[in-house]
Structures are given as structure tokens and as C-alpha cells.
Amino acid sequence: MIGVGTILKIKRYLTIIIVLLITLLVSLISNGTQEIQKANYELFTVDRIKEGYHLFTNKDENFIVNTYISKLSFEENEEIDIFSTLEYIGKKKSVQIWSVGHSYFNHNIFDGSINYHKNIVLTILTTTRLIKGETYILPFIKEGSYTDDPKDEFWKKYYTEKELKLPSGNYTFTASTGFSLDEDLKEHVNLENKFKVSVQ
């Protein structure tokens, strides 16, 4: 006859085994998801290039920045599809970059008087490691805020909508790096893609 102590030990071992199996399963699913996401990103980029997206590029000895936009002339309130990619092409296997705030890359839109993309500037110093040969997808994400002033009704709608839509006008789009190669932020990397977009 099995004693109570033995039964408790068996239950404890079974619990440990179940926890380990769950941890292993979650890890495998997570790794699989990351691989799927990476593959989707690559497919996503290739598909967009095939669809005839305009490409703007800039590089130095360590990095290459590509910016893709669906077209350069839009109708008013038509969705503007834009994203960038960043790749480390230097001599090391990876590189550590430093930036102030949560983003090391910026997309800006300017019509000559109004900045339609107001970057949120944080004073927190953050670091990111880029792996050589990996392409990092940098989608356009709206940043900024609006007040309850009735004059800000446009901005309320602008920031509420996920899609990028602009009123008629001529705009300068800028996609640029916002990081340094050192913690003191002295070795700043300046790579920028700038181009004109019209909205009728």
C-alpha cells in the first residue's frame, strides 16, 4: 500500500513535469511565432515592392535605410501607406544603438507650416541591439496628442484614425534615424530619406 507521503511526492513530481512541459510548449510556440512574424515581414516587404511602391534609400558603412510609399500623389483623405526598414551592414555580428525615448527611428510630415507628425520626446535613454543581416520593419505610427478645444477637432480625428490621411496640400515626408552608437550620444547616425508628396 502506498503511503500518503509517497502520493504527495508523486503529485509534486507530476506537477513539476507538467509545468516544465507547459514551459517548453510555450517556448516552442513563441519561437515559431517569431519565425512566422519574420517570414511575414519579409513577404510583406517583397509584396509591397512588387506592387510598385516608391523606394527611397540612404546608407553609410554600417546601416542602410529604405523607405517605401505606395505612391507620391493622393486624393484628399485617401489612405497613405508608408513604412521604412533598417538593416545593420557593418563588420560586427551585431551592434548596440542608443536613443532618447522609445523610438530610434522617426517619420515626419511637414506642409510648410504645420508638422503633422509630432514626435513624443522622452528623456529616458534606451538601448537596442541590431543583428547583422536582419531587416527591421519600421511602420509609420502616429504620435502626438490633441486638446478638447473645438479648433482641435481635426487633430482628434487624425489621431483617432489608425490610417494616415491628409487634407489637400503639398507635404515633405522625412524618414530618419534617431540613434547613436554610444551611450553619451556623441556618435550620432544621420541617415535620412526625404521626398515630396502631394494631396489633391
Side-chain angles (χ1 to χ4, degrees), residues 86-108:
L86 174 66
E87 184 179 350
Y88 171 61
I89 56 172
K91 296 179 180 179
K92 302 176 182 178
K93 291 183 180 180
S94 66
V95 65
Q96 192 167 3
I97 61 173
W98 301 83
S99 59
V100 176
H102 65 282
S103 177
Y104 54 81
F105 195 87
N106 303 302
H107 289 100
N108 291 299

Side-chain angles (χ1 to χ4, degrees), residues 26-187:
V26 169
S27 176
L28 289 173
I29 291 171
S30 176
N31 288 337
T33 302
Q34 289 174 2
E35 290 302 317
I36 290 169
Q37 288 175 343
K38 184 178 178 183
N40 285 343
Y41 281 153
E42 291 170 358
L43 182 63
F44 174 75
T45 304
V46 171
D47 283 350
R48 288 194 168 192
I49 294 169
K50 286 181 179 178
E51 289 171 8
Y53 276 57
H54 293 268
L55 168 64
F56 298 89
T57 188
N58 202 341
K59 69 176 182 177
D60 61 15
E61 67 275 10
N62 291 313
F63 303 95
I64 181 167
V65 173
N66 290 323
T67 301
Y68 302 87
I69 186 167
S70 52
K71 51 187 180 177
L72 299 175
S73 180
F74 296 85
E75 297 295 322
E76 188 169 18
N77 290 320
E78 179 183 0
E79 181 182 353
I80 299 172
D81 198 1
I82 178 176
F83 71 101
S84 295
T85 64
L86 174 66
E87 184 179 350
Y88 171 61
I89 56 172
K91 296 179 180 179
K92 302 176 182 178
K93 291 183 180 180
S94 66
V95 65
Q96 192 167 3
I97 61 173
W98 301 83
S99 59
V100 176
H102 65 282
S103 177
Y104 54 81
F105 195 87
N106 303 302
H107 289 100
N108 291 299
I109 304 168
F110 188 61
D111 72 352
S113 59
I114 299 174
N115 189 347
Y116 281 78
H117 188 63
K118 307 167 185 178
N119 289 317
I120 299 173
V121 180
L122 303 175
T123 57
I124 301 170
L125 186 64
T126 59
T127 182
T128 305
R129 182 162 295 278
L130 305 179
I131 309 299
K132 184 175 181 177
E134 288 194 10
T135 300
Y136 295 85
I137 307 295
L138 307 162
F140 176 88
I141 299 173
K142 294 180 182 180
E143 293 182 351
S145 61
Y146 60 89
T147 66
D148 291 330
D149 191 313
K151 295 179 182 178
D152 288 336
E153 199 59 38
F154 167 80
W155 293 112
K156 181 177 181 179
K157 182 181 177 185
Y158 177 80
Y159 286 114
T160 300
E161 293 179 338
K162 182 180 178 181
E163 299 83 8
L164 173 60
K165 298 176 182 178
L166 295 170
S168 60
N170 296 308
Y171 300 87
T172 299
F173 280 57
T174 306
S176 59
T177 54
F179 62 85
S180 297
L181 298 177
D182 65 317
E183 190 173 357
D184 296 326
L185 305 180
K186 293 181 179 179
E187 297 180 57

Side-chain angles (χ1 to χ4, degrees), residues 5-20:
T6 305
I7 292 173
L8 291 175
K9 283 182 182 179
I10 292 172
K11 284 185 177 180
R12 191 178 315 136
Y13 288 136
L14 285 174
T15 303
I16 292 171
I17 290 170
I18 290 170
V19 169
L20 289 175

